[in-house]
Amino acid sequence: MYPSFTGSARRLRQVNLSGRNTNPFAATAASKQSSSTQSTQHTVAHAQAERMQRHQERLRPPAARSIQRSWRGYRSRRQTKNAWRQEWDVREVALATAEGCQPPSSLDPMPYNNEKDCLDQISLLVHFASPREQSDGDRLILLARRYSSFARRTGSAAVSDAWTFPLLRLAKLTVSMLEPFKSRSHSDLSVVLELLSTLAATIPQQMASFSMQYFEALRTVASNSGGMYSMRAPNQGQWEDAIIALLRPALPKAEIAYRGFASQILRIAAIPVDSLRRISSASRVRDLALAMASPLSFTPPNVSLHDMNREQLLWLITYFIYFYRTANPFQERSSDTLYVRILSRYISFLAVDIASRIDRTADTSTIQSDESTSPSVSTPPFPPFVRNELLGLISQEHISGLLAKAAASANSESEALAVRSEQASELAVYALTLLRAFPRKGDEIRMWLYFGSTSRKDTRREPSMPAIKYYYNAANQTSIYKLVRSDPNYAIPLLNPGSRRRTNAPALPDRDEQWQVILLFLELYPIVLKVMDDEDFLNGAISTNNTESWTRRSALGLDQVKDLTMFLKNLAFSMYWNAPEIAGVEEPENKSSIAAYFGGDAAALSDNNPDGKPVRSQDATIAGLPWMTLSYMRGMVTGLLRMIYERDSRRKFLPSNHWLMTQWFEMDRFVPAVVQEEEEKHKIQDSYGADGDGEAEDPDDEVEEEEVHDILVGTQRTQQVRNIERLRRQQRKASRRKYLESVTPRLEILQNMPFFIPFSTRVQAFRQFVMLDQLRRRRTTDPDLWRFDMMSSNPTHMGRHKARVHRDSIFDDAFEQYYSLGEGLKEPIQIAFVDQFDTVEEGIDGGGVTKEFLTSVTSEAFNSMNGLDMFVENDQHLLYPNPTALDERKELLRQAGEAEGSPYCIESTRDLLRRFEFMGRIIGKCLYEGILVDIHFAPFFLLKWALTGGHNSASRESSYHGNLNDLRDLDEALYQGLLQLKNYAGNVESMGLTFEVTDTLFPSDRPSSYHPSQAPIPRTRELITNGSNTPVTNKNRLVYITNIARHRLSVQPYHQTSAFLRGLGTIIDPAWLSMFNQHELQTLISGTDSAPDMDDLRRNTLYGGLYVIGDDGLEHPTIQLFWSTVLAFDIDDKMKLIKFVTSTPRAPLLGFGNLNPKFSIRDGGNDQSRLPTTSTCVNLLKLPVYKDAAVLRERLLYSIRSGAGFNLS
């Protein structure tokens, strides 16, 4: 039966409306049916064609009559206008003859004799003249000459209202006929331009009503098809007069005229400076500003700023800056809110163009700034005029004057707290816009903003308020600051109003304005922290007089800093923990799908992307600023918070538990959860890697924009294609990173804001990460099992991990045999020590030989080699890469006769950098294996480990930037000298300093320590462009100090530090290092600085042989003597004992209970003359059964102080 049974077994009738036979076996019938269908369709089509033909026949007569009527009208009008032309010509001849003048064709005809004749001729001409008739152009030239002469003779061209309408029509006619005159002689064009000037001066109010068409005609005649200025020199003056004539009169609605002037004339490219100077001197800048304040007012309906020509807008804002600059001094300009608002609007729209082109020169290659840009479209550098005017916006006088009139009416700081938010917001938007448009000048802009201050009525009674305090007070007053400071959950709806999160946060109509003020403060405060030493930071807030340094007066109070960190902590936590909700995307669901089942994580990720590629991520924006993305803001908040945390970790000024946010986590499950997120991250990365889009870094991706031009080679097309491909890779990586941020919130917090979590928890997570990496690489954490597996499956690979090293050349042997391993150094290595007699030392490696190898190679590596100290010490005997090592190597090669750039010179310098890289791998191997080494690094160098590179989302914004305080760890004398310079009360220029720095080289070919006695070789470098001719003054001394710190800490040791960190990152994921600050990293490397807890060691010691504790629980008498002797040792001997047994002098980070294998003691025979020996591979002390405490002490001290190896046993 049928599934749609209705109670009747009768088959329903099947009606086929398509005309197609559904019987597959009725071939003959089908042919007949098909023929019948085609016949029917043909009949219908024929009927439709006949109906259309009849309709067209009906329409033809009316259409013919309409055409005839139009033609008769056109012919009649043409005949009438021709008659008027003849009449005008006859009257012109008659008037000239009656007046005794020259014929009308003369180049200098006499003016009209009276007003009636002039007015009649004008009225008649405007009735028939047409731009398409060349003869009408000749008549207009004749009329213009006679009318202009008449106007000059009478002193007024219009004596009654009867002239207004004819003159207005004449002006419109002249404007419409102006373009054809561009191709005629310059004398004809001059006459027409002079006529326009006369008419504009005669009826300015009426002319302003069609100023858009007026200035459009002037723009057309003065520019070529490309928009460039092309006015002929003889006509330039008349063209300027025509413009000035309509701008000069003080009209009731002058804004209308200036609107046309701005929208048409100021978009012409490359107007001569002489013309600009003359026009600007005759115009009123305030009216121009009012016209530009609403850019939509001079564009067609429904056209936005984004639809305008960007190049024309660029010239428009450049001319506007020029006009304002010539009309107002710096301080009046920068404090004019209308001027600031206009610049913010236009520069914000053009920020990407300005940022990408402001530093380009004519010989640089063309690089596309957007993937959507056509590869054939070039972006040339700015013309010098545009570049100079734009750079004028970031001069010190202009930037520092932004706050000149802010809160000018306030007589005290308490009154300044009530400053209007919109005023602060406008200045904030402008400052943020400048930072976005001039990214490479960002530090200078921040510095000049930092020097700004609000005005006071009486600065003798009350000092002016520094800019940083002004913006802190403005930010502190906002509702956003107060809400986020109280609860991090408030940040979600404040960053994303469309969030579904329900909070008690009130609706804020001025939300964007409040964020703008806060964001500018977050941009400025880091520059204060960079130039402020600890004394100013801790004591500066109590200073209120003008005699104190500007830096100290800019310091916030410690209570204010504490309050600020609460706001930043809550904001940063919410931006990482609730990233998907704030970004406005759905949080990824852990659901099963067919794609995930068969294709893994990569297929699951691409379920919503048919192309299988990461879609281009559109980052949400903040505060109504198109470039202020969530990612940038998150990085900015992260960087600032880490800077304050770094200062607090150097000199404590906040409570001990102030930084922790453990209340927001389940701490008992934190480590397993973050380890699971780490595993999930690697799964996702491996899935992308299987598709050929893994995490392997492409060198092009990391190249700074300023270096791209020097690296790309080939044709311009090839360069553009390569750059587009690089952008696509970056977009794919950004998309992948956003997904990882959404599924690994704990990991993101741990790597970017590690101080939210206790140190011990982070150490546990670090060890778990290492164990997870070992399981992923080896499938086991047991080195012996890995060795056994390699010996049976891949003996050749196993052989690469074996090495014979001589004790007198450990580093060289290790470098030669292990450098080629690269990341393979993570695997267990097998070492055979060889003494001076080429005899292999006996010993079974249970891990102890590896530990001794690593500690020995680090001890030798961080000393001098081949006459060059790779690492040098500061005054506190802390190590950092020798900043002159590379230059000294080059100098040695030069002295040896090797030309710089020769193959041998290049290979020698590369070899030096490879050694730095290998040293980084060795330190990474120690961290990877959990082996403590007695090496102490300078804090500023360790800070680079935590803040350089990594996969964290804030890697660029929170990366390492050298500052004055870090310089103290490098060179105390230099730090004190710069501190005196910063606080010097006199004229700094009298010191004769310039923006130069001299590096001193001590090249030596002798393998010894640093050689201060050798004749130094100075090398002078400029800190900035033309630095040798730029004196250091009171205004720019902070810039000088910042550049000195940057050079000494970052620029000079760049290659050495990069090589070391590259090697370190090969073994230890840089993201793991970012979980610790500089002091915690030192603890990871060498253990705690405190004395070893011998009671903890005693509790966690195992005993064997005769020393096994019996059922009575009592220790063996020799063991009792041992502990009583050891407890009486000083700290040095205690550490030597621990090193003698474990090969490292320090206790494990989490106590001796985490020492693996356990610290063990067993009997070593009854011979009283025998020395104690060890097996460091199992952390075993072989202690003879001594009877006397003095003998035990003597033998034990001899052994631990001897420094012997395995051959002692």
mmCIF file of all heavy atoms in Angstrom, residues 1016-1047:
data_model
loop_
_atom_site.group_PDB
_atom_site.id
_atom_site.type_symbol
_atom_site.label_atom_id
_atom_site.label_comp_id
_atom_site.label_asym_id
_atom_site.label_seq_id
_atom_site.Cartn_x
_atom_site.Cartn_y
_atom_site.Cartn_z
ATOM 1 N N PRO A 1016 92.286 51.532 24.789
ATOM 2 C CA PRO A 1016 90.923 51.426 24.254
ATOM 3 C C PRO A 1016 90.826 52.042 22.868
ATOM 4 O O PRO A 1016 91.589 52.924 22.484
ATOM 5 C CB PRO A 1016 90.091 52.201 25.274
ATOM 6 C CG PRO A 1016 91.036 53.207 25.839
ATOM 7 C CD PRO A 1016 92.395 52.547 25.853
ATOM 8 N N ILE A 1017 89.828 51.581 22.124
ATOM 9 C CA ILE A 1017 89.540 52.105 20.789
ATOM 10 C C ILE A 1017 88.131 52.680 20.820
ATOM 11 O O ILE A 1017 87.155 51.943 20.993
ATOM 12 C CB ILE A 1017 89.647 51.007 19.724
ATOM 13 C CG1 ILE A 1017 91.053 50.413 19.713
ATOM 14 C CG2 ILE A 1017 89.271 51.556 18.352
ATOM 15 C CD1 ILE A 1017 91.212 49.267 18.751
ATOM 16 N N PRO A 1018 87.971 54.007 20.700
ATOM 17 C CA PRO A 1018 86.623 54.601 20.775
ATOM 18 C C PRO A 1018 85.883 54.466 19.451
ATOM 19 O O PRO A 1018 86.473 54.502 18.376
ATOM 20 C CB PRO A 1018 86.911 56.065 21.106
ATOM 21 C CG PRO A 1018 88.262 56.320 20.507
ATOM 22 C CD PRO A 1018 89.027 55.023 20.600
ATOM 23 N N ARG A 1019 84.581 54.297 19.550
ATOM 24 C CA ARG A 1019 83.694 54.276 18.395
ATOM 25 C C ARG A 1019 82.500 55.185 18.714
ATOM 26 O O ARG A 1019 81.724 54.900 19.623
ATOM 27 C CB ARG A 1019 83.194 52.853 18.111
ATOM 28 C CG ARG A 1019 84.264 51.926 17.583
ATOM 29 C CD ARG A 1019 84.575 52.234 16.117
ATOM 30 N NE ARG A 1019 85.495 51.254 15.555
ATOM 31 C CZ ARG A 1019 86.813 51.354 15.585
ATOM 32 N NH1 ARG A 1019 87.375 52.409 16.178
ATOM 33 N NH2 ARG A 1019 87.576 50.423 15.054
ATOM 34 N N THR A 1020 82.374 56.282 17.961
ATOM 35 C CA THR A 1020 81.304 57.252 18.220
ATOM 36 C C THR A 1020 80.155 57.021 17.262
ATOM 37 O O THR A 1020 80.367 56.853 16.050
ATOM 38 C CB THR A 1020 81.837 58.686 18.066
ATOM 39 O OG1 THR A 1020 82.916 58.891 18.989
ATOM 40 C CG2 THR A 1020 80.736 59.702 18.358
ATOM 41 N N ARG A 1021 78.943 57.018 17.806
ATOM 42 C CA ARG A 1021 77.733 56.814 17.008
ATOM 43 C C ARG A 1021 76.715 57.889 17.359
ATOM 44 O O ARG A 1021 76.667 58.379 18.482
ATOM 45 C CB ARG A 1021 77.130 55.424 17.271
ATOM 46 C CG ARG A 1021 77.999 54.269 16.821
ATOM 47 C CD ARG A 1021 77.320 52.939 17.147
ATOM 48 N NE ARG A 1021 78.016 51.795 16.572
ATOM 49 C CZ ARG A 1021 79.001 51.148 17.166
ATOM 50 N NH1 ARG A 1021 79.396 51.534 18.364
ATOM 51 N NH2 ARG A 1021 79.579 50.115 16.582
ATOM 52 N N GLU A 1022 75.873 58.215 16.378
ATOM 53 C CA GLU A 1022 74.800 59.185 16.606
ATOM 54 C C GLU A 1022 73.574 58.470 17.156
ATOM 55 O O GLU A 1022 73.210 57.383 16.691
ATOM 56 C CB GLU A 1022 74.443 59.903 15.307
ATOM 57 C CG GLU A 1022 75.524 60.844 14.812
ATOM 58 C CD GLU A 1022 75.071 61.655 13.615
ATOM 59 O OE1 GLU A 1022 74.122 61.211 12.930
ATOM 60 O OE2 GLU A 1022 75.639 62.740 13.371
ATOM 61 N N LEU A 1023 72.948 59.079 18.151
ATOM 62 C CA LEU A 1023 71.748 58.496 18.748
ATOM 63 C C LEU A 1023 70.509 58.787 17.916
ATOM 64 O O LEU A 1023 69.553 58.011 17.937
ATOM 65 C CB LEU A 1023 71.563 59.025 20.174
ATOM 66 C CG LEU A 1023 72.660 58.637 21.172
ATOM 67 C CD1 LEU A 1023 72.455 59.378 22.483
ATOM 68 C CD2 LEU A 1023 72.660 57.135 21.407
ATOM 69 N N ILE A 1024 70.494 59.901 17.226
ATOM 70 C CA ILE A 1024 69.393 60.283 16.354
ATOM 71 C C ILE A 1024 69.985 60.818 15.050
ATOM 72 O O ILE A 1024 71.201 61.003 14.946
ATOM 73 C CB ILE A 1024 68.489 61.357 16.999
ATOM 74 C CG1 ILE A 1024 69.290 62.625 17.290
ATOM 75 C CG2 ILE A 1024 67.826 60.828 18.260
ATOM 76 C CD1 ILE A 1024 68.447 63.781 17.816
ATOM 77 N N THR A 1025 69.131 61.043 14.084
ATOM 78 C CA THR A 1025 69.594 61.630 12.827
ATOM 79 C C THR A 1025 70.172 63.017 13.081
ATOM 80 O O THR A 1025 69.563 63.841 13.772
ATOM 81 C CB THR A 1025 68.425 61.714 11.832
ATOM 82 O OG1 THR A 1025 67.873 60.401 11.650
ATOM 83 C CG2 THR A 1025 68.890 62.238 10.500
ATOM 84 N N ASN A 1026 71.367 63.249 12.565
ATOM 85 C CA ASN A 1026 72.066 64.520 12.757
ATOM 86 C C ASN A 1026 72.331 64.780 14.247
ATOM 87 O O ASN A 1026 72.323 65.913 14.711
ATOM 88 C CB ASN A 1026 71.269 65.672 12.151
ATOM 89 C CG ASN A 1026 72.114 66.921 11.960
ATOM 90 O OD1 ASN A 1026 73.321 66.848 11.756
ATOM 91 N ND2 ASN A 1026 71.475 68.079 12.050
ATOM 92 N N GLY A 1027 72.583 63.696 14.977
ATOM 93 C CA GLY A 1027 72.795 63.828 16.415
ATOM 94 C C GLY A 1027 74.044 64.593 16.777
ATOM 95 O O GLY A 1027 74.087 65.255 17.828
ATOM 96 N N SER A 1028 75.059 64.551 15.933
ATOM 97 C CA SER A 1028 76.300 65.270 16.245
ATOM 98 C C SER A 1028 76.105 66.779 16.241
ATOM 99 O O SER A 1028 76.889 67.504 16.867
ATOM 100 C CB SER A 1028 77.389 64.875 15.244
ATOM 101 O OG SER A 1028 76.978 65.180 13.918
ATOM 102 N N ASN A 1029 75.075 67.246 15.575
ATOM 103 C CA ASN A 1029 74.795 68.687 15.514
ATOM 104 C C ASN A 1029 73.589 69.075 16.351
ATOM 105 O O ASN A 1029 73.112 70.207 16.248
ATOM 106 C CB ASN A 1029 74.573 69.116 14.065
ATOM 107 C CG ASN A 1029 75.789 68.883 13.194
ATOM 108 O OD1 ASN A 1029 76.914 69.122 13.622
ATOM 109 N ND2 ASN A 1029 75.575 68.406 11.976
ATOM 110 N N THR A 1030 73.094 68.150 17.158
ATOM 111 C CA THR A 1030 71.924 68.426 18.000
ATOM 112 C C THR A 1030 72.362 68.517 19.450
ATOM 113 O O THR A 1030 72.721 67.504 20.071
ATOM 114 C CB THR A 1030 70.867 67.318 17.858
ATOM 115 O OG1 THR A 1030 70.532 67.155 16.473
ATOM 116 C CG2 THR A 1030 69.620 67.659 18.654
ATOM 117 N N PRO A 1031 72.390 69.706 20.041
ATOM 118 C CA PRO A 1031 72.838 69.827 21.430
ATOM 119 C C PRO A 1031 71.778 69.314 22.404
ATOM 120 O O PRO A 1031 70.577 69.325 22.116
ATOM 121 C CB PRO A 1031 73.059 71.336 21.594
ATOM 122 C CG PRO A 1031 72.132 71.958 20.594
ATOM 123 C CD PRO A 1031 72.071 71.013 19.432
ATOM 124 N N VAL A 1032 72.243 68.875 23.555
ATOM 125 C CA VAL A 1032 71.345 68.454 24.633
ATOM 126 C C VAL A 1032 70.970 69.686 25.441
ATOM 127 O O VAL A 1032 71.834 70.406 25.945
ATOM 128 C CB VAL A 1032 72.015 67.397 25.527
ATOM 129 C CG1 VAL A 1032 71.078 66.986 26.656
ATOM 130 C CG2 VAL A 1032 72.421 66.186 24.703
ATOM 131 N N THR A 1033 69.673 69.952 25.556
ATOM 132 C CA THR A 1033 69.174 71.126 26.261
ATOM 133 C C THR A 1033 68.279 70.691 27.416
ATOM 134 O O THR A 1033 68.015 69.504 27.616
ATOM 135 C CB THR A 1033 68.396 72.034 25.305
ATOM 136 O OG1 THR A 1033 67.226 71.323 24.845
ATOM 137 C CG2 THR A 1033 69.238 72.410 24.090
ATOM 138 N N ASN A 1034 67.804 71.662 28.151
ATOM 139 C CA ASN A 1034 66.891 71.350 29.255
ATOM 140 C C ASN A 1034 65.605 70.711 28.753
ATOM 141 O O ASN A 1034 64.994 69.908 29.454
ATOM 142 C CB ASN A 1034 66.558 72.630 30.032
ATOM 143 C CG ASN A 1034 67.731 73.108 30.872
ATOM 144 O OD1 ASN A 1034 68.852 72.669 30.655
ATOM 145 N ND2 ASN A 1034 67.491 74.002 31.806
ATOM 146 N N LYS A 1035 65.198 71.067 27.527
ATOM 147 C CA LYS A 1035 63.949 70.544 26.998
ATOM 148 C C LYS A 1035 64.078 69.113 26.495
ATOM 149 O O LYS A 1035 63.135 68.318 26.638
ATOM 150 C CB LYS A 1035 63.431 71.446 25.872
ATOM 151 C CG LYS A 1035 62.932 72.801 26.346
ATOM 152 C CD LYS A 1035 62.345 73.586 25.182
ATOM 153 C CE LYS A 1035 61.779 74.922 25.660
ATOM 154 N NZ LYS A 1035 61.173 75.683 24.535
ATOM 155 N N ASN A 1036 65.224 68.793 25.906
ATOM 156 C CA ASN A 1036 65.340 67.464 25.304
ATOM 157 C C ASN A 1036 66.257 66.522 26.077
ATOM 158 O O ASN A 1036 66.645 65.477 25.564
ATOM 159 C CB ASN A 1036 65.819 67.574 23.857
ATOM 160 C CG ASN A 1036 67.224 68.154 23.746
ATOM 161 O OD1 ASN A 1036 67.963 68.220 24.721
ATOM 162 N ND2 ASN A 1036 67.601 68.580 22.546
ATOM 163 N N ARG A 1037 66.623 66.862 27.306
ATOM 164 C CA ARG A 1037 67.556 66.000 28.034
ATOM 165 C C ARG A 1037 66.951 64.650 28.376
ATOM 166 O O ARG A 1037 67.660 63.647 28.430
ATOM 167 C CB ARG A 1037 68.053 66.702 29.293
ATOM 168 C CG ARG A 1037 66.981 67.156 30.266
ATOM 169 C CD ARG A 1037 67.621 67.803 31.476
ATOM 170 N NE ARG A 1037 66.675 68.614 32.241
ATOM 171 C CZ ARG A 1037 67.025 69.334 33.312
ATOM 172 N NH1 ARG A 1037 68.278 69.341 33.723
ATOM 173 N NH2 ARG A 1037 66.124 70.047 33.953
ATOM 174 N N LEU A 1038 65.634 64.615 28.618
ATOM 175 C CA LEU A 1038 65.011 63.320 28.894
ATOM 176 C C LEU A 1038 65.027 62.436 27.651
ATOM 177 O O LEU A 1038 65.163 61.213 27.750
ATOM 178 C CB LEU A 1038 63.583 63.512 29.393
ATOM 179 C CG LEU A 1038 63.437 64.066 30.811
ATOM 180 C CD1 LEU A 1038 61.963 64.125 31.195
ATOM 181 C CD2 LEU A 1038 64.208 63.229 31.811
ATOM 182 N N VAL A 1039 64.894 63.057 26.486
ATOM 183 C CA VAL A 1039 65.008 62.289 25.244
ATOM 184 C C VAL A 1039 66.426 61.747 25.106
ATOM 185 O O VAL A 1039 66.628 60.597 24.695
ATOM 186 C CB VAL A 1039 64.632 63.173 24.033
ATOM 187 C CG1 VAL A 1039 64.773 62.395 22.740
ATOM 188 C CG2 VAL A 1039 63.218 63.708 24.187
ATOM 189 N N TYR A 1040 67.402 62.555 25.466
ATOM 190 C CA TYR A 1040 68.800 62.113 25.411
ATOM 191 C C TYR A 1040 69.024 60.945 26.374
ATOM 192 O O TYR A 1040 69.643 59.938 26.011
ATOM 193 C CB TYR A 1040 69.704 63.279 25.769
ATOM 194 C CG TYR A 1040 71.164 62.911 25.934
ATOM 195 C CD1 TYR A 1040 71.980 62.701 24.829
ATOM 196 C CD2 TYR A 1040 71.721 62.788 27.203
ATOM 197 C CE1 TYR A 1040 73.321 62.371 24.978
ATOM 198 C CE2 TYR A 1040 73.052 62.452 27.369
ATOM 199 C CZ TYR A 1040 73.850 62.241 26.250
ATOM 200 O OH TYR A 1040 75.175 61.901 26.409
ATOM 201 N N ILE A 1041 68.516 61.065 27.585
ATOM 202 C CA ILE A 1041 68.686 59.993 28.576
ATOM 203 C C ILE A 1041 68.003 58.712 28.097
ATOM 204 O O ILE A 1041 68.559 57.609 28.211
ATOM 205 C CB ILE A 1041 68.118 60.449 29.939
ATOM 206 C CG1 ILE A 1041 68.976 61.583 30.511
ATOM 207 C CG2 ILE A 1041 68.047 59.286 30.916
ATOM 208 C CD1 ILE A 1041 68.400 62.216 31.764
ATOM 209 N N THR A 1042 66.815 58.856 27.525
ATOM 210 C CA THR A 1042 66.102 57.681 27.011
ATOM 211 C C THR A 1042 66.874 57.018 25.889
ATOM 212 O O THR A 1042 66.967 55.783 25.822
ATOM 213 C CB THR A 1042 64.706 58.096 26.534
ATOM 214 O OG1 THR A 1042 63.987 58.686 27.622
ATOM 215 C CG2 THR A 1042 63.934 56.892 26.024
ATOM 216 N N ASN A 1043 67.461 57.817 25.010
ATOM 217 C CA ASN A 1043 68.223 57.250 23.895
ATOM 218 C C ASN A 1043 69.510 56.589 24.368
ATOM 219 O O ASN A 1043 69.924 55.552 23.824
ATOM 220 C CB ASN A 1043 68.535 58.338 22.870
ATOM 221 C CG ASN A 1043 67.393 58.609 21.921
ATOM 222 O OD1 ASN A 1043 67.200 57.900 20.946
ATOM 223 N ND2 ASN A 1043 66.600 59.627 22.219
ATOM 224 N N ILE A 1044 70.156 57.173 25.370
ATOM 225 C CA ILE A 1044 71.361 56.544 25.927
ATOM 226 C C ILE A 1044 71.011 55.193 26.531
ATOM 227 O O ILE A 1044 71.697 54.178 26.298
ATOM 228 C CB ILE A 1044 71.999 57.460 26.990
ATOM 229 C CG1 ILE A 1044 72.702 58.645 26.318
ATOM 230 C CG2 ILE A 1044 72.991 56.685 27.845
ATOM 231 C CD1 ILE A 1044 73.983 58.288 25.596
ATOM 232 N N ALA A 1045 69.937 55.155 27.320
ATOM 233 C CA ALA A 1045 69.522 53.891 27.943
ATOM 234 C C ALA A 1045 69.151 52.865 26.878
ATOM 235 O O ALA A 1045 69.511 51.685 26.979
ATOM 236 C CB ALA A 1045 68.354 54.143 28.888
ATOM 237 N N ARG A 1046 68.451 53.305 25.854
ATOM 238 C CA ARG A 1046 68.063 52.376 24.789
ATOM 239 C C ARG A 1046 69.290 51.839 24.060
ATOM 240 O O ARG A 1046 69.362 50.649 23.734
ATOM 241 C CB ARG A 1046 67.127 53.089 23.814
ATOM 242 C CG ARG A 1046 66.692 52.233 22.626
ATOM 243 C CD ARG A 1046 65.697 52.988 21.762
ATOM 244 N NE ARG A 1046 65.357 52.226 20.571
ATOM 245 C CZ ARG A 1046 65.995 52.317 19.416
ATOM 246 N NH1 ARG A 1046 67.024 53.154 19.302
ATOM 247 N NH2 ARG A 1046 65.639 51.579 18.376
ATOM 248 N N HIS A 1047 70.269 52.705 23.817
ATOM 249 C CA HIS A 1047 71.462 52.255 23.108
ATOM 250 C C HIS A 1047 72.245 51.249 23.942
ATOM 251 O O HIS A 1047 72.652 50.188 23.432
ATOM 252 C CB HIS A 1047 72.345 53.457 22.770
ATOM 253 C CG HIS A 1047 73.657 53.082 22.158
ATOM 254 N ND1 HIS A 1047 73.790 52.742 20.828
ATOM 255 C CD2 HIS A 1047 74.913 52.975 22.699
ATOM 256 C CE1 HIS A 1047 75.048 52.443 20.567
ATOM 257 N NE2 HIS A 1047 75.752 52.571 21.682
#
